[in-house]
Amino acid sequence: MAVSWRFPILVLVGLVAVVIQPTRETVLLWLALSIVLTVVDLLFAVSPRRLGIQREGGSQVRLGDSGTTALLVTNTGRRTLRGLVRDAWQPSAGATVDRHRLTLKSGERRRLTTIVVPTRRGDRLADRVTVRSFGPLGLGARQRSFDVGGVIRALPPFHSRKHLPSRLAALRQLDGRSAVRIRGQGTEFDSLRDYVEGDDVRSIDWRATARRQHAVVRTWQPERDRRVILVLDTSRTSAGRVEDMPRLDSEMDAALLLAALASRAGDRVDLIAGDRWVRARVGSASRTALLAELVQAMSPLEPALLEASWPTLAAAIADTSRRRALVVLLTSLEPAAIEESLLPTLATLTTHHRVVVASVSDPALTAMAARRGTTAEAYDAAAAERTLTLRQRTADVLGRLGVTVIDADPEHLPPRLADHYLLLKSQGLL
């Protein structure tokens, strides 16, 4: 049971009687009257057991956006229920208005909508649905909680999609809609056209020229159907926060932009996410379904307090494609973690694939290294300089192994990775 705000008000009203007749018997009599009225009110309250509660299907919402979830409440009793319904969710679901006043007649059904604004990515779970059924006087209420399962999936926000139109415009200069005239590595035959002054005579197709009785040249376009494998590191290093966002979320943002761009270019995109074990995998999907499958696979991923097993992830890469591919390792450029596990594996990866390491850097380190006004700031600057030097040394070691390293802050990492892909595409190096 529960009491409403009206019960203490009723008790305070008794102060009038105490002022008129200030005796112990007056106080006890008024308290007894208040309790009796509350008990009688409880007896006339409709039992919450008479309610049928169902939750509509789960929904999805991008992190930071608002979504809704709904309860269907049915009164199966014979009397009208007056009460309060609380649709409780875990705090990170961001349920803003989760209490609903309800007056439900016998046999009536009502839809109660709760607005949620998730503050964390992943599956946000519902707690219990609590119903308070008040009596006619509104003094007391019968209370009961129901286990009504529910889930809201908060998808990665994909902030870097604002860079996609400009990169697609650059891509249109490389794909089949804008054929190149000169053949080179990474190009394939596109079409035939008439010879014009300035064309390379080595591009003349002599058989077509003989048929048409005038010079005809071949045009070429960058190769399609290349393979891009995105490897998302979910080990302990991905849990670090940069600009109030986990490294893993920033890496997901960069992976989504590159996947969207590569799929528009006609290449096949695969995703492997894991640490000591493979946590998620997305195979080559159609261009229209790729992003949807990627965000669904990424949404439940969380950093694990484990070291990454790069031999395991390399085996997953080998199972994905035997052909040469562009392998993008989205991981932290931490010297200890890379030297212990990644470096021994890179020799095999670089032999069969073109490898890019994309890492999220912390701009706070650069700012800390620039502040040297006080003694404490000088010590902080020395520590920051040492960290930056170790990261640069690790990047140089990876570069000598034939690996391209892209180290940028969360805002600039996605466009820089996309630009590097376009550069490889334009040079025919995929």
Side-chain angles (χ1 to χ4, degrees):
M1 62 164 285
V3 294
S4 71
W5 58 270
R6 296 186 181 186
F7 179 77
I9 295 297
L10 178 62
V11 174
L12 291 176
V13 170
L15 293 176
V16 178
V18 173
V19 171
I20 298 174
Q21 187 70 29
T23 62
R24 179 183 178 186
E25 288 75 11
T26 304
V27 175
L28 295 176
L29 182 62
W30 189 260
L31 287 176
L33 177 62
S34 299
I35 293 173
V36 169
L37 287 176
T38 303
V39 171
V40 172
D41 199 35
L42 282 172
L43 293 176
F44 280 94
V46 177
S47 173
R49 297 174 184 269
R50 301 293 183 182
L51 291 181
I53 303 178
Q54 296 177 337
R55 188 180 299 279
E56 291 187 342
S59 60
Q60 300 175 354
V61 59
R62 288 196 180 277
L63 184 64
D65 294 343
S66 61
T68 59
T69 178
L71 291 174
L72 295 178
V73 183
T74 307
N75 185 1
T76 60
R78 298 182 179 179
R79 293 184 295 159
T80 300
L81 180 140
R82 297 176 180 84
L84 181 67
V85 178
R86 184 195 179 203
D87 185 11
W89 288 77
Q90 62 184 110
S92 56
T96 53
V97 182
D98 59 354
R99 289 172 170 82
H100 309 274
R101 288 282 177 184
L102 185 65
T103 300
L104 204 60
K105 297 180 181 180
S106 175
E108 186 179 358
R109 171 179 287 187
R110 189 74 57 82
R111 187 174 186 268
L112 307 178
T113 301
T114 301
I115 299 176
V116 293
V117 185
T119 57
R120 288 185 60 187
R121 174 184 46 79
D123 292 338
R124 307 296 102 194
L125 304 178
D127 200 350
R128 291 167 295 179
V129 176
T130 303
V131 180
R132 282 184 180 178
S133 174
F134 292 95
L137 300 178
L139 296 173
R142 298 187 183 186
Q143 179 171 307
R144 183 176 176 83
S145 295
F146 301 86
D147 289 324
V148 183
V151 61
I152 292 287
R153 172 159 287 189
L155 305 176
F158 195 14
H159 296 305
S160 61
R161 64 179 178 272
K162 62 185 178 183
H163 301 291
L164 188 57
S166 61
R167 272 61 189 180
L168 289 178
L171 179 64
R172 279 192 287 270
Q173 301 177 10
L174 303 175
D175 65 9
R177 283 169 287 182
S178 179
V180 296
R181 296 190 305 170
I182 301 175
R183 182 179 184 180
Q185 183 182 6
T187 57
E188 59 185 17
F189 175 74
D190 179 62
S191 60
L192 297 173
R193 63 170 176 80
D194 292 341
Y195 174 87
V196 295
E197 186 176 354
D199 284 336
D200 189 346
V201 294
R202 291 174 296 179
S203 297
I204 296 178
D205 189 305
W206 296 107
R207 292 185 179 180
T209 298
R211 290 194 299 270
R212 298 188 184 183
Q213 301 299 317
H214 60 266
V216 175
V217 296
R218 300 173 181 172
T219 59
W220 312 88
Q221 67 175 3
E223 287 182 332
R224 293 170 175 258
D225 200 28
R226 301 295 92 188
R227 201 93 185 221
V228 179
I229 303 176
L230 306 174
V231 182
L232 202 59
D233 179 11
T234 62
S235 64
R236 62 173 184 83
T237 57
S238 65
R241 301 187 73 85
V242 178
E243 295 186 346
D244 199 29
M245 180 184 294
R247 292 180 185 271
L248 181 60
D249 288 36
S250 301
E251 293 167 356
M252 288 180 181
D253 204 35
L256 288 173
L257 179 62
L258 179 57
L261 185 62
S263 65
R264 296 291 184 89
D267 293 334
R268 290 182 291 173
V269 180
D270 299 88
L271 172 71
I272 299 172
D275 36 78
R276 190 172 295 175
W277 298 277
V278 176
R279 305 289 183 177
R281 176 177 283 178
V282 176
S284 299
S286 63
R287 189 177 71 178
T288 56
L290 176 64
L291 282 182
E293 293 189 15
L294 286 180
V295 296
Q296 287 293 337
M298 291 178 179
S299 295
L301 292 177
E302 295 291 344
L305 298 180
L306 300 169
E307 295 290 344
S309 174
W310 286 106
T312 300
L313 298 178
I317 294 172
D319 293 339
T320 301
S321 175
R322 298 292 181 181
R323 296 171 54 190
R324 186 170 180 82
L326 173 64
V327 177
V328 181
L329 308 180
L330 295 136
T331 184
S332 177
L333 202 62
E334 297 295 334
I338 289 181
E339 291 173 4
E340 290 179 5
S341 181
L342 181 56
L343 281 182
T345 309
L346 280 177
T348 303
L349 282 179
T350 53
T351 301
H352 300 90
H353 306 286
R354 179 171 294 276
V355 181
V356 175
V357 172
S359 176
V360 179
S361 63
D362 191 350
L365 287 175
T366 306
M368 187 184 298
R371 291 193 299 266
R372 306 182 183 186
T374 64
T375 303
E377 289 179 346
Y379 279 105
D380 291 341
E385 288 285 2
R386 181 179 183 276
T387 302
L388 293 174
T389 302
L390 290 176
R391 290 176 65 90
Q392 184 59 47
R393 187 185 69 180
T394 304
D396 294 340
V397 171
L398 294 177
R400 289 193 291 270
L401 293 176
V403 177
T404 303
V405 178
I406 300 176
D407 190 22
D409 58 73
E411 177 66 23
H412 296 96
L413 179 63
R416 284 189 57 183
L417 183 58
D419 290 341
H420 181 71
Y421 168 80
L422 291 174
L423 178 64
L424 295 177
K425 199 77 171 174
S426 63
Q427 296 178 348
L429 297 178
L430 290 185

